Amino acid sequence: MLERFSKWKANLTAADLPDHQVEEGNLPQHVAIIMDGNGRWAKKKGLPRIAGHREGMKVVTKIVRTSSDIGIEVLTLYAFSTENWKRPKKEVDYLLGLPERYLSAELPKLIKNNVQVRLMGTTEHLPDHTLKAVEKAIKDTKHNTGMILNFALNYGSRFEMLEAVKSIGKQIERGELKADTLTEEHIHAQLMTSQLKDPDLLIRTSGEIRLSNFMLWQLAYSEFWFSDILWPDFKEKDFLEAIAVYQKRKRRYGGV
Ligand code: IPE
Ligand code: IPE
Ligand code: MG
């Protein structure tokens, strides 16, 4: 991983570098991003909201590439929440068409870069074409051993926890488990992130300081980095800045 980092860094010019330096060691292993501000970006330019989503997709391409290049192990991207169904149908349709667009352009590159695609969320109500595109990407990258690219699509943390509780309840009903012996590990095992470590760093763009139902359990001890930059304006340099700031933080987990 360190070798990859050095190679990547050697290709950068001073203008690409953030104000703070990213160090080789101590990279966050799992970075989660709430990509927010597409609508406001479009509005500012007098464009329809979907123009913001289209531009946002280009940023996804760049950030995925940078993450994989520097050796991030897991990148989770919040692409569509269980609450985003409240938006006008036209916008929802556009948003749910994006995974297919993104993957049809990027899948060959993801394969080449050894990236493994995963999906986190409920497949319920997702259009068939979206699901098919994502399932194909998951299948085609299943044996890749590089970065895990985890799409939170139709994801909501409370829904995830509700499903976990139901599943544990059923195990108790079947007599496989006793309520008194339940541990945090049992809950972890039922979450959609059971195969992943918790995010080390959470990034949210667009100036909103909230979680919007994102990974409530998993973010218990993550470092947060909020930025006013709207997602379509977010640059590799901003991403690296977030990582550099993360590297200066002292994580204590309740200790001293
Ligand atoms: C983020 O941008 C994209 C999704 C929520 C899918 P928004 O569409 O929320 O943009 P704003 O917050 O309205 O500016
Ligand atoms: C969170 O952003 C969801 C995604 C980025 C996919 P929203 O724009 O939906 O969140 P709120 O409504 O501002 O809380
Ligand atoms: Mg928003």
Side-chain angles (χ1 to χ4, degrees), residues 102-161:
Y102 171 78
L103 291 167
S104 70
E106 292 299 311
L107 187 57
K109 269 184 262 170
L110 296 176
I111 294 171
K112 184 168 153 264
N113 290 325
N114 199 20
V115 171
Q116 190 190 113
V117 176
R118 296 204 196 168
L119 181 65
M120 171 171 94
T122 160
T123 53
E124 218 178 316
H125 306 306
L126 278 187
D128 267 354
H129 61 95
T130 308
L131 205 53
K132 270 208 191 106
V134 179
E135 277 168 354
K136 179 179 173 355
I138 293 172
K139 193 172 133 265
D140 290 356
T141 62
K142 165 167 99 185
H143 298 298
N144 286 354
T145 53
M147 186 180 82
I148 293 173
L149 174 57
N150 183 33
F151 282 108
L153 184 66
N154 201 11
Y155 172 84
S157 187
R158 288 187 171 181
F159 175 86
E160 177 188 35
M161 288 194 212

Side-chain angles (χ1 to χ4, degrees), residues 31 41 45 55 64 68 72 86 108 113 144 153 157 159 205-206 208 232 239 248 256:
V31 179
W41 180 91
K45 293 199 148 35
E55 200 62 24
V64 167
S68 153
I72 299 292
K86 292 178 194 160
N113 290 325
N144 286 354
L153 184 66
S157 187
F159 175 86
T205 57
S206 90
E208 308 297 357
F239 182 64
K248 292 202 164 49
V256 287

Side-chain angles (χ1 to χ4, degrees), residues 4-12 17 21-24:
R4 267 176 77 187
F5 186 92
S6 311
K7 232 168 88 186
W8 161 82
K9 213 170 174 183
N11 287 325
L12 289 185
L17 288 165
Q21 285 288 304
V22 176
E23 307 295 335
E24 275 191 35

